[in-house]
């Protein structure tokens, strides 16, 4: 390819801006459902980094999911909303019959899906500027980053078995990328 045919590298962060805009699509969906409820068969899977600064959740749940967790918003949740000032989602869920409130910053979200319409997004984790307060990494323990994009990209296998009815694999709802 000639230098004339190459696309010049952008000095503007378009990819970052697009990702920020798509995170706000998630926020708008949460706001809408918090106000009007879930219409029809719509439901959400939200995967987020539990170690991201600003994630607020009970310690027992964080201990079970020290890196990532997927929540399902379908039948049993309450107080769903989005705080525009702090850019956080808040929701009440039941874990093993015990109610809990979660606060999830938009920047902690790495995947969002509405399987009813086969819609999904995958995000790069936002840069973490604060220390991760509750994460104690063991020697040799590290996690590869997931690529950004639509949910069609293959995902790594979960490290833990999901608890039934609370955390599920999104593999059944992913579209496979054309090779």
């Amino acid at each position: 390819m000639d230098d004339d045919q190459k696309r010049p590298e952008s000095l503007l962060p378009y990819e970052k801006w697009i990702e920020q805009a798509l995170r706000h699509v998630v926020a708008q969906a949460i706001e809408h459902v918090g106000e009007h409820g879930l219409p029809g068969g719509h439901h959400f899977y939200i995967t987020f980094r539990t170690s991201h600064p600003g994630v607020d959740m009970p310690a027992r749940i964080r201990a079970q999911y020290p890196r990532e967790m997927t929540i399902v918003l379908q039948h049993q949740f309450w107080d769903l909303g989005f705080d525009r000032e702090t850019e956080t989602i808040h929701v009440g869920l039941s874990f093993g019959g015990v109610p809990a409130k979660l606060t999830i910053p938009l920047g902690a979200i790495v995947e969002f899906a509405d399987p009813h319409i086969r819609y999904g997004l995958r995000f790069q984790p936002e840069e973490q500027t604060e220390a991760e307060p509750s994460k104690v990494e063991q020697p040799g323990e590290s996690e590869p980053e997931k690529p950004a994009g639509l949910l069609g990209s293959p995902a790594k296998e979960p490290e833990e078995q999901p608890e039934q009815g609370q955390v599920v694999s999104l593999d059944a709802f992913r579209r496979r990328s054309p090779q």
Side-chain angles (χ1 to χ4, degrees), residues 33-84:
V33 169
E35 189 174 322
H36 304 286
L38 282 165
H42 288 273
H43 55 288
F44 301 149
Y45 292 125
I46 301 173
T47 302
F48 62 99
R49 295 285 171 111
T50 58
S51 60
H52 190 279
V55 170
D56 187 22
M57 61 194 302
R60 69 181 180 84
I61 298 169
R62 190 183 305 268
Q64 285 181 282
Y65 304 98
R67 291 188 188 106
E68 266 186 15
M69 180 176 172
T70 298
I71 58 173
V72 179
L73 303 181
Q74 187 170 17
H75 299 296
Q76 298 178 346
F77 63 93
W78 59 92
D79 294 335
L80 178 64
F82 178 73
D83 183 327
R84 288 178 181 261

Side-chain angles (χ1 to χ4, degrees), residues 11 13 17 34 36 41 50 59-60 62 68 76 85 94 99 116-117 122 127 136 140 150 156-157 174 176:
L11 299 176
W17 292 340
H36 304 286
T50 58
R60 69 181 180 84
R62 190 183 305 268
E68 266 186 15
Q76 298 178 346
E85 189 173 311
S94 183
H116 179 66
I117 59 165
R122 179 173 287 154
E127 296 292 323
V136 178
L150 293 178
K156 66 181 180 73
E157 291 296 315
R174 296 178 200 270
R176 299 290 176 217

